[in-house]
Amino acid sequence: MNPFKQAPIARQAIIGTIKRTGNKALQVLGLSGELVDDVPLYQQVGFASWLPEDAEVVMLPMQGRARNFVIVAGQDAVAVELKEGETVVYNQHGVEIRLLSDRVKINTNLEVDGNIKATGDISDKAGSMQIMREAYNIHGHAAEGTSPPTVLMGAADAL
């Protein structure tokens, strides 16, 4: 007994161009100039993207029927340069998340709904958090006659 469900028969893949955008059912212009409406877009679980107008797509006619297409892949005209082993997730607005060999690089503002923990140093354009802690721990207010803080930043604040 075959444990796999029989997949619908797929014929030759067809290239088309998106004419009505979305992320579920799209309108596609085939190479012959025929418009095909309500073509479902199949995407990987956990990923969803909005295919822009004029993006190229690969469609498969399911069950051997020329009007029963599904979109299985799409790309736009953006050329993204990558080195071997790298991955990029990007959108049509130019926002990128790059998985490089030694770090993750994001080219836009980052908003986090939760805590951020780091095993390394955290820095911004003015310096590192460690340098800030060290400066705080030794500072005092001589004019007011105060000594450095009794509660130091550092080990007690460690994650």
Side-chain angles (χ1 to χ4, degrees):
M1 179 164 158
N2 185 350
F4 299 104
K5 191 167 87 175
Q6 170 119 11
I9 299 169
R11 296 185 336 174
Q12 177 179 347
I14 297 170
I15 303 294
T17 304
I18 298 296
K19 289 301 164 198
R20 186 181 67 236
T21 64
N23 64 352
K24 294 189 188 306
L26 310 163
Q27 183 183 62
V28 180
L29 179 65
L31 291 177
S32 65
E34 179 184 10
L35 278 176
V36 183
D37 287 317
D38 299 323
V39 180
L41 172 60
Y42 281 41
Q43 299 187 57
Q44 293 292 327
V45 173
F47 289 89
S49 61
W50 183 279
L51 293 178
E53 189 171 324
D54 295 326
E56 283 190 336
V57 294
V58 176
M59 302 183 301
L60 293 176
M62 302 307 290
Q63 299 171 332
R65 296 188 196 133
R67 299 287 300 167
N68 193 17
F69 291 107
V70 295
I71 297 170
V72 295
Q75 73 173 25
D76 60 18
V78 175
V80 177
E81 295 293 326
L82 295 172
K83 294 180 182 165
E84 184 177 344
E86 294 181 349
T87 301
V88 65
V89 176
Y90 65 94
N91 68 16
Q92 64 191 34
H93 306 292
V95 175
E96 295 180 350
I97 301 172
R98 288 183 173 262
L99 306 177
L100 306 174
S101 63
D102 59 347
R103 67 190 183 282
V104 175
K105 186 174 180 182
I106 301 172
N107 71 347
T108 190
N109 296 330
L110 179 64
E111 183 176 319
V112 177
D113 291 331
N115 298 325
I116 297 177
K117 294 183 179 184
T119 58
D121 203 8
I122 298 176
S123 298
D124 64 13
K125 63 184 176 183
S128 75
M129 289 294 298
Q130 185 58 36
I131 291 171
M132 185 188 317
R133 283 186 196 95
E134 290 168 1
Y136 172 83
N137 288 343
I138 63 170
H139 92 284
H141 299 269
E144 291 87 26
T146 62
S147 335
T150 55
V151 177
L152 302 179
M153 293 174 67
D157 297 331
L159 300 173

